[in-house]
Amino acid sequence: MLANMRLVLDGGALVANWRTLDQLSGSAGAGAAVKADGYGLGAREVVRRLSAAGCQDFFVAHWGEAQALTGWIDPARLAVLHGIAPAEEAAALAGLAVPVLNSAEQVSRWKAAGGGRCHVMIDTGMSRLGIDWRDDISALCAGLDVDLCLSHLASADEPSAQNEAQRQRFEQVRHQVKARRYSLANSAGIALGNGYHFDCTRPGLALYGGVPCDALAGHIRPVMRLEARILQVRQVRAGDSIGYGATFTAERDMRTATLSLGYADGFKRALSSIGAFRSGDVHLPLLGRVSMDLTCIDLTAAPELGEGDWIAADVVLPAVEAATGISQYEWLTQIGRRFDRIWVD
Ligand SMILES: *Cc1c(COP(=O)(O)O)cnc(C)c1O
């Protein structure tokens, strides 16, 4: 543990969030999107905890992500959202995970290869991945052993007529594609109500402490705390400036700390001058610009802290999204590799 930065990850909160989302999913079971290495927190640790809690369905984007989970999960429980390119077919047939077939071409290749159980993605209005809901999906999917038939909501996190339109299209899909189970809702989709739950929901963001819509505020617990060590403490004098571009000039003598944390670690430059840190309840403002590897703060209000001490960034996901315009999804998934990831619980 040589790092001067650590992510403290609350496993109890992760599990509590999954249980909450599972309950909010009504009779449907909540799965878990663990793509992008569990939204940056560490897919293996997430899978281990949520499996133990009873989560049955996990979703990654890439086959490489499935490979990284070998030994951590029953491959029949792991879906690869990006489908199967010809080069990935062997991995899929060998049972590394279950492919989500995204096109007529993938369906016919899977059939020709004698592939077994699979999932199918139907596009109901996002025009990204999946078979168009207006195609002859009933004929296309005939003969497939479909476990999960899924679609994805484009605007679940806002009140939009598109949600109801997609839901109605998916109802039609359900009568055309024979599958064991049907799945439409992501985190925000769960909050849209029973009509969106079908058999399985697929939360990602909210598991990790993100709050995609007001309806989930108050239900979701924060999971990560971002901490950095104080590398140096300084006495800055009135008139001195701090950091690149000298955007902050001290109006009084002050005690400052330089932290081992910067935008290379995903601590966004957009927090320059507006971010903050905390020591207990004491608020410690960020001074000047965030550099690549360093950030300076006003330590005057925390005289007990010195070089080598840890200090927590005030990164509450919905709040930093509001303050910077950078989405909670980006905040999570761009957290750097230099952090030690430390799970408590
Ligand atoms: C990422 C993803 C999810 C999870 O979405 P959140 O908004 O993070 O809850 C669900 N389904 C699909 C197809 C996804 O790509």
Side-chain angles (χ1 to χ4, degrees):
M1 296 282 177
L2 285 174
N4 280 323
M5 301 175 315
R6 63 190 185 194
L7 274 186
V8 182
L9 298 162
D10 185 339
L14 173 80
V15 168
N17 289 340
W18 178 76
R19 291 214 167 97
T20 297
L21 293 160
D22 190 53
Q23 267 164 21
L24 291 172
S25 299
S27 59
V34 296
K35 59 199 184 188
D37 200 18
Y39 286 44
L41 303 189
R44 290 176 169 182
E45 292 298 324
V46 170
V47 160
R48 191 159 74 73
R49 286 175 171 76
L50 295 186
S51 299
C55 180
Q56 306 268 0
D57 296 281
F58 295 89
F59 300 87
V60 292
H62 295 252
W63 286 95
E65 293 177 336
Q67 195 160 38
L69 287 171
T70 302
W72 291 74
I73 185 181
D74 173 0
R77 303 268 177 217
L78 183 61
V80 177
L81 292 162
H82 283 192
I84 35 164
E88 294 160 344
E89 217 172 274
L93 290 167
L96 186 61
V98 181
V100 176
L101 306 181
N102 280 314
S103 67
E105 189 269 335
Q106 289 183 9
V107 167
S108 55
R109 246 190 312 109
W110 187 247
K111 282 182 186 170
R117 188 167 292 187
C118 61
H119 307 308
V120 172
M121 172 68 82
I122 308 294
D123 173 40
T124 53
M126 203 170 179
S127 310
R128 224 173 46 163
L129 290 178
I131 303 167
D132 192 300
W133 64 288
R134 291 158 297 199
D135 288 352
D136 188 357
I137 51 180
S138 142
L140 251 171
C141 296
L144 278 182
D145 178 8
V146 183
D147 181 7
L148 208 58
C149 173
L150 49 155
S151 190
H152 193 50
L153 295 166
S155 306
D157 51 0
E158 41 196 289
S160 161
Q162 193 183 14
N163 294 324
E164 177 57 14
Q166 285 195 265
R167 195 192 66 75
Q168 286 181 15
R169 289 168 189 169
F170 196 58
E171 283 287 359
Q172 291 178 39
V173 167
R174 188 151 70 129
H175 294 111
Q176 291 167 274
V177 177
K178 192 166 158 292
R180 268 177 206 80
R181 301 177 296 153
Y182 298 83
S183 173
L184 178 63
N186 61 343
S187 300
I190 292 171
L192 293 174
N194 275 339
Y196 289 81
H197 296 158
F198 295 90
D199 303 302
C200 167
T201 59
R202 310 186 304 271
L205 184 76
L207 293 172
Y208 308 111
V211 182
C213 56
D214 292 344
L216 289 178
H219 291 282
I220 297 301
R221 285 168 55 180
V223 174
M224 69 151 187
R225 195 171 69 239
L226 221 133
E227 296 185 347
R229 248 199 238 277
I230 298 174
L231 295 180
Q232 194 166 8
V233 173
R234 311 178 71 82
Q235 291 296 330
V236 168
R237 301 191 199 175
D240 286 352
S241 65
I242 294 178
Y244 283 118
T247 58
F248 177 86
T249 300
E251 286 173 1
R252 53 177 167 82
D253 292 356
M254 60 199 300
R255 185 166 182 263
T256 69
T258 305
L259 306 179
S260 171
L261 179 67
Y263 59 77
D265 306 305
F267 190 73
K268 306 289 185 183
R269 212 165 160 276
L271 282 177
S272 296
S273 310
I274 62 171
F277 287 72
R278 269 179 294 112
S279 170
D281 290 338
V282 180
H283 173 90
L284 306 168
L286 194 160
L287 304 174
R289 284 193 189 152
V290 174
S291 308
M292 185 184 294
D293 316 299
L294 297 170
T295 296
C296 296
I297 62 169
D298 182 354
L299 202 61
T300 310
E304 74 284 4
L305 292 180
E307 289 171 7
D309 284 338
W310 292 97
I311 190 156
D314 210 349
V315 174
V316 176
L317 288 170
V320 288
E321 176 178 75
T324 62
I326 295 167
S327 84
Q328 298 172 63
Y329 293 89
E330 286 172 85
W331 272 101
L332 277 169
T333 56
Q334 293 176 13
I335 293 168
R337 303 312 310 176
R338 294 195 292 200
F339 283 92
D340 279 332
R341 282 156 168 79
I342 297 169
W343 287 85
V344 287
D345 252 17

